[in-house]
Amino acid sequence: MNLAAPRRLAVLLLSFLVLGSLPAPAPGAERPQIDVQELTLPNGMRWLLYERHESPTVVGGWVAHVGSANEREGITGISHLFEHMMFKGTRKIGTRNIAEDLRIIDEQEKVRSEMREELRTMRQRQLRGEIDDLSKPENQTPRYRELDKRFDALVAEQRQIQIKDHLTQIYTKNGAEDLNAFTNEDETVYFVRVPANRLELWAWLESDRLLEPVFREFYSERDVVYEERRMRTESTPLGQFDEAFNAMFWEASPYKWPVIGWPSDVSSITKAQADAYFGTYYAPNNLTGVLVGDFDAKAVRPLLERYFGRIPRGKTEPPEVVTTEPPSVAEKRFNASADTSPTVRVWWHGVPFTHKDRTAMDVLTDFLSGRTGRLYKGLVTGREVANEVSASTDLKKYAGTVEVEATVKDGKEPAEVEMAIYEELDKLKTEPVSAEEMQKVKNQAKANAFRRLSSPFSIAIQLMVYDGLGDWRYINTYADEVDRITAADIQRVARQYLTTENRAVGIFLRKEGARAAQGEARR
């Protein structure tokens, strides 16, 4: 599984899914449209169906409209934890004896309840300064250690009747590929490619894990996520600094905590909390299914109704995310020493995915990014103050960012790089881009969008990601939106959003003793 995937991973995923690059369409040629058929089941589950008969396969997937932005303090990371748990099986998949399986799970919960009582005592001691890390055996009460052994024995007992990776085995035996999932701030996406003649098997398997999931090894998997957090965040040169910078950048928005969750929350999430979370956010009225490939939409509708229609609608509607980021009133600065090449990072508050300025912001960073972009020409080959530089727009569901990052060349100062970035941006604010440069950027943007339509897999992922962000039609409207952008639009959004008070600046210096890494970028 793609673990703790931020929006950036989704963007990268789209680029990697271009399996057979197509040439860009000729100027003036008719743009391809993804002729999606929409369907909504009586239980509220929406479907996006797109027939494409180039190979006898179907990409099937679904997006749960829930990510880390839907969490709260105390259960941060639970959305990503669910990405793991949804592969653990059902009442029919993953076990040789469901009655015994459920009995053991019930016993595990009773033991865990007692362990939580002991943890309360341990936390009180921690608050008094009597102990530090609760995970150290010497800091645990004798009763806690006794219960922990009992719990481990129950886990070992349960594993005797489990069928490990049963879902994956079934898919693989039936010719399926690319079974995977990812979580980000706004959504959790599940997908797989199956032979067209196994579409009914897919419908049964996917609906079964939504109808009757069994969250086996919940606490063991929670520990796996905790360890993953340590490896991906705490053991990487900029991992912890990335989290701290992000938390500084966002004041009120739930985007301020990491997708993988805060350590104290991840280690404390209970199965009861997970059950309640599933009931709210994995109900069919909060899901969108996607099929792309070799199928007949009319014939597939009864199939979807038969399997996915049996899942009951959620008892309550998922609550809205109502906390929004207030306008930034002052520049924020972040200084750190890390095991990395000196780096300058600048983020500005941008716009959410459905905002009218979304494509103008995207095109704005197209002028800045890449080897032919203004930042590379200005900082790397021009002033020669940086080794690498990048620019991107991150459009999330409820907000967005514009991000620039540069590694400082040996012998140069971060302040020189930072000022050079602002000088290039000032040019965009004060000097209209030429018609030639505008057309070049537009052609490249539209060509990339066209190439992302070259495979059913890429189309399916885009439909799920865009739907999770609030507008699946972006797959069809993007090129026209790009065409409508003017030089005045670029100046306007640059002036409006790329302001001093709207930004946060991170300066990362090389920690004493750390080795230089040529062109080192974030993680």
Side-chain angles (χ1 to χ4, degrees):
M1 287 175 282
N2 290 309
L3 305 174
R7 174 75 56 243
R8 193 168 291 101
L9 176 58
V11 174
L12 289 173
L13 186 59
L14 296 183
S15 66
F16 282 120
L17 288 176
V18 181
L19 301 179
S21 292
L22 298 175
E30 184 177 348
R31 298 187 185 107
Q33 291 287 297
I34 303 303
D35 185 17
V36 173
Q37 300 183 54
E38 294 186 79
L39 167 68
T40 301
L41 302 180
N43 61 9
M45 187 169 183
R46 297 171 52 247
W47 285 89
L48 305 176
L49 311 176
Y50 175 55
E51 296 181 34
R52 183 154 165 165
H53 304 285
E54 62 186 39
S55 68
T57 62
V58 177
V59 179
W62 46 278
V63 53
H65 297 267
V66 59
S68 60
N70 301 92
E71 300 163 357
R72 57 171 172 79
E73 284 92 345
I75 58 168
T76 63
I78 194 171
S79 301
H80 167 242
L81 177 58
F82 257 104
E83 180 199 314
H84 287 242
M85 297 313 303
M86 290 304 293
F87 288 83
K88 291 297 181 179
T90 70
R91 295 176 68 93
K92 302 177 184 68
I93 299 167
T95 185
R96 297 180 179 87
N97 186 334
I98 185 58
E100 186 67 5
D101 201 12
L102 296 177
R103 181 196 67 79
I104 294 172
I105 290 175
D106 185 58
E107 286 294 317
Q108 289 175 340
E109 282 305 294
K110 292 176 182 177
V111 173
R112 278 286 169 176
S113 179
E114 289 190 63
M115 292 174 72
R116 284 192 286 273
E117 289 299 319
E118 292 297 311
L119 273 170
R120 288 190 181 95
T121 300
M122 292 155 56
R123 287 196 185 97
Q124 289 301 313
R125 293 191 62 201
Q126 186 183 43
L127 291 173
R128 292 194 296 268
E130 296 172 5
I131 58 176
D132 51 6
D133 188 347
L134 298 184
S135 65
K136 293 180 180 178
E138 62 268 25
N139 290 335
Q140 296 167 354
T141 66
R143 177 60 176 161
Y144 184 91
R145 292 197 294 269
E146 177 187 335
L147 290 166
D148 196 28
K149 289 180 181 178
R150 170 62 181 151
F151 184 82
D152 287 345
L154 287 169
V155 170
E157 184 181 354
Q158 186 182 32
R159 285 175 177 166
Q160 296 302 309
I161 59 172
Q162 283 182 316
I163 306 175
K164 187 174 178 59
D165 299 326
H166 197 190
L167 180 72
T168 303
Q169 291 179 32
I170 295 172
Y171 269 127
T172 301
K173 288 178 181 178
N174 284 275
E177 298 176 316
D178 302 315
L179 176 66
N180 216 321
F182 61 83
T183 309
N184 59 42
E185 297 94 337
D186 299 308
E187 59 199 322
T188 309
V189 177
Y190 300 84
F191 51 91
V192 66
R193 176 173 27 220
V194 298
N197 61 2
R198 292 294 186 269
L199 190 54
E200 184 168 5
L201 173 67
W202 171 85
W204 178 75
L205 288 171
E206 295 303 305
S207 63
D208 192 54
R209 63 172 170 162
L210 286 166
L211 179 65
E212 296 184 322
V214 176
F215 301 139
R216 299 178 177 93
E217 300 181 303
F218 178 83
Y219 296 100
S220 300
E221 198 64 31
R222 192 188 69 178
D223 292 342
V224 168
V225 171
Y226 188 91
E227 178 62 17
E228 173 197 329
R229 212 210 105 79
R230 190 186 69 80
M231 293 297 294
R232 288 174 174 257
T233 301
E234 298 169 14
S235 299
T236 57
L238 287 182
Q240 290 179 299
F241 297 110
D242 286 342
E243 283 190 346
F245 183 84
N246 186 75
M248 179 193 74
F249 181 79
W250 301 106
E251 292 183 14
S253 169
Y255 293 137
K256 65 186 176 183
W257 52 73
V259 172
I260 202 168
W262 296 122
S264 56
D265 290 353
V266 173
S267 62
S268 302
I269 296 170
T270 68
K271 185 175 177 298
Q273 289 172 324
D275 290 339
Y277 203 75
F278 178 85
T280 299
Y281 292 105
Y282 276 72
N285 44 296
N286 199 48
L287 306 176
T288 300
V290 170
L291 289 177
V292 177
D294 189 24
F295 65 90
D296 179 85
K298 290 182 179 178
V300 86
R301 289 188 181 209
L303 191 71
L304 301 177
E305 291 168 355
R306 175 185 176 187
Y307 289 102
F308 292 93
R310 62 194 175 131
I311 307 168
R313 186 183 181 93
K315 295 179 180 178
T316 59
E317 291 297 317
E320 279 188 87
V321 175
V322 298
T323 303
T324 57
E325 187 71 8
S328 183
V329 296
E331 179 189 71
K332 300 173 183 176
R333 298 194 72 86
F334 183 97
N335 296 298
S337 296
D339 293 322
T340 184
S341 295
T343 301
V344 175
R345 176 182 302 168
V346 189
W347 286 10
W348 292 265
H349 290 279
V351 299
F353 183 76
T354 54
H355 195 279
K356 62 183 178 63
D357 285 335
R358 63 181 177 183
T359 305
M361 297 290 279
D362 193 45
V363 173
L364 167 67
T365 53
D366 284 346
F367 280 100
L368 300 172
S369 61
R371 292 296 177 103
T372 60
R374 290 191 174 198
L375 288 178
Y376 193 90
K377 289 181 177 178
L379 277 68
V380 179
T381 61
R383 297 174 185 83
E384 297 186 346
V385 295
N387 290 322
E388 294 289 342
V389 62
S390 64
S392 62
T393 299
D394 191 359
L395 299 169
K396 306 179 195 292
K397 187 173 184 178
Y398 304 104
T401 59
V402 175
E403 305 175 9
V404 171
E405 186 155 317
T407 55
V408 182
K409 189 172 184 178
D410 283 347
K412 302 298 181 179
E413 294 297 323
E416 294 179 81
V417 174
E418 185 182 351
M419 289 303 105
I421 291 171
Y422 301 149
E423 287 172 11
E424 292 300 326
L425 296 180
D426 285 341
K427 292 177 185 177
L428 281 178
K429 296 176 184 179
T430 59
E431 303 170 10
V433 296
S434 68
E436 181 182 9
E437 187 180 11
M438 174 67 81
Q439 196 59 53
K440 176 184 176 183
V441 167
K442 284 185 175 183
N443 289 345
Q444 187 62 52
K446 291 184 291 183
N448 289 338
F450 177 75
R451 293 187 182 99
R452 289 197 294 269
L453 304 181
S454 65
S455 79
F457 214 138
S458 178
I459 293 169
I461 294 296
Q462 288 177 85
L463 288 174
M464 287 185 280
V465 169
Y466 293 157
D467 187 76
L469 292 174
D471 182 15
W472 69 262
R473 291 174 178 81
Y474 195 56
I475 196 172
N476 284 330
T477 64
Y478 174 76
D480 288 334
E481 291 183 30
V482 168
D483 268 342
R484 289 194 292 269
I485 300 301
T486 66
D489 289 326
I490 300 301
Q491 277 190 297
R492 176 181 59 81
V493 295
R495 290 169 178 169
Q496 181 175 345
Y497 299 104
L498 305 185
T499 63
T500 301
E501 64 274 9
N502 202 35
R503 74 189 180 209
V505 182
I507 304 297
F508 302 89
L509 301 179
R510 186 182 298 128
K511 186 191 300 183
E512 186 176 349
R515 290 190 303 171
Q518 281 291 331
E520 183 178 354
R522 292 179 62 189
R523 281 188 284 177

